[in-house]
Amino acid sequence: MGYKNKRTGYSDELLASRSIIRRDNFALIPQDGLVNNRIPGFENCELSVLGSPKLGASFVDYVVTMLPEGKNTRGFGEEGVQTFVYIIEGKIKVNDGETDYTLETGGYVYLPAGKKMYLENINDGQNSELFLYKKRYEAIEGYEAHNVVGNVNDLEKIDYEGMTDVALSDLLPADLGFDMNIHILSFKPGASHGYIETHVQEHGALLLSGKGVYVLDNEWIPVEKGDYIFMGAYVPQATYAVGRDEPLSYIYSKDCNRDPKI
């Protein structure tokens, strides 16, 4: 699939970018501007940091190409931090320190704070593409999170707010042990949100397919597969899907189930 900038040498065109950065508000980061980041523990991997606190997010998102024999030997995550991996394409093995999980395209694993995530590409000598997420966990008395393993292809698709041409998949349970969730939202060509949303939750979204036009803080911005969008708290947001056959689909995180602190 290839979510990385594969260009080498000089471009035949004038240097330009669709990137828009409004720190603490919103951002659009196209895949052709991504650069590789060297992160301790990731071996034979091409990794780019997407959303992070430096952008204004309370979480960190990554897109990773695991090359043949790619792996993480130190473990992804740290004390007090929950982690999540989604397989965009390929096949990997995930270990939580005790149990191995084999994931193929559409598969995902969530690990609660206190468990490290060990990753290994087992895709028969081919690359695997991953979306990774981490966030510090906000605990509340009487509830706790737990391991979640699944595949989006096995999930019920819900008509988003009653619209039959917009499908929502909830990847994590909707209970108070979780202070966040991961969703996949898919719009058929011509579909849109029912209204412009304005809410306290922030999002980090990676477009998996299709094209569209996204409104972010009253700016209408063309978007396409491979783009990353950060949406801060209270940013007005909505999208229209465009094109002929392929739906506009994206995976995104959302903080939830907690009372804002003062």
Side-chain angles (χ1 to χ4, degrees):
M1 184 171 293
Y3 273 83
K4 315 299 286 184
N5 180 1
K6 300 298 185 181
R7 296 177 180 173
T8 58
Y10 288 109
S11 170
D12 293 331
E13 308 294 333
L14 292 173
L15 297 181
S17 174
R18 294 189 299 112
S19 293
I20 302 173
I21 306 298
R22 307 276 193 269
R23 284 181 176 81
D24 301 315
N25 190 9
F26 74 87
L28 171 72
I29 305 176
Q31 63 174 323
D32 62 4
L34 297 179
V35 298
N36 291 327
N37 302 118
R38 189 173 183 182
I39 305 294
F42 286 89
E43 302 176 6
N44 295 316
C45 293
E46 296 175 352
L47 178 151
S48 292
V49 177
L50 301 171
S52 79
K54 289 185 176 182
L55 190 60
S58 65
F59 53 83
V60 184
D61 284 332
Y62 313 75
V63 63
V64 184
T65 299
M66 299 194 84
L67 306 175
E69 300 183 6
K71 56 188 174 181
N72 183 302
T73 56
R74 294 166 57 105
F76 175 61
E78 58 192 92
E79 187 64 32
V81 172
Q82 57 198 321
T83 57
F84 176 89
V85 60
Y86 175 79
I87 313 308
I88 301 169
E89 187 173 76
K91 184 177 182 179
I92 71 164
K93 181 173 69 176
V94 180
N95 181 278
D96 65 359
E98 298 177 348
T99 305
D100 286 337
Y101 305 102
T102 299
L103 305 181
E104 299 191 20
T105 300
Y108 59 89
V109 169
Y110 166 90
L111 296 183
K115 292 188 177 183
K116 281 195 172 184
M117 180 181 289
Y118 299 88
L119 305 164
E120 182 180 356
N121 185 15
I122 55 172
N123 196 26
D124 296 327
Q126 303 297 313
N127 295 347
S128 289
E129 303 276 354
L130 317 178
F131 173 71
L132 280 176
Y133 166 97
K134 70 178 182 181
K135 177 183 177 293
R136 190 161 296 279
Y137 181 64
E138 183 180 345
I140 56 173
E141 185 177 357
Y143 297 91
E144 61 181 19
H146 54 79
N147 286 21
V148 179
V149 182
N151 190 294
V152 69
N153 297 305
D154 299 327
L155 298 179
E156 176 189 7
K157 290 182 171 58
I158 304 164
D159 289 344
Y160 184 64
E161 297 187 343
M163 297 179 288
T164 58
D165 52 1
V166 184
L168 175 70
S169 298
D170 297 325
L171 277 61
L172 299 182
D175 69 59
L176 294 181
F178 294 81
D179 69 346
M180 48 75 65
N181 209 323
I182 302 284
H183 309 282
I184 292 181
L185 198 55
S186 182
F187 300 79
K188 293 181 180 180
S192 71
H193 284 88
Y195 56 95
I196 295 178
E197 298 181 356
T198 307
H199 49 63
V200 67
Q201 291 84 9
E202 58 179 352
H203 300 312
L206 182 66
L207 272 68
L208 301 173
S209 66
K211 295 181 179 181
V213 182
Y214 226 103
V215 62
L216 297 165
D217 203 10
N218 295 316
E219 292 188 40
W220 287 97
I221 301 167
V223 296
E224 63 184 17
K225 174 183 172 180
D227 287 350
Y228 176 79
I229 304 173
F230 166 66
M231 293 168 263
Y234 297 108
V235 171
Q237 56 195 257
T239 192
Y240 284 95
V242 302
R244 298 183 182 276
D245 301 312
E246 188 176 43
L248 170 66
S249 177
Y250 54 86
I251 185 169
Y252 68 104
S253 61
K254 176 182 74 178
D255 50 305
C256 59
N257 298 333
R258 296 295 183 268
D259 190 11
K261 293 181 179 180
I262 58 173

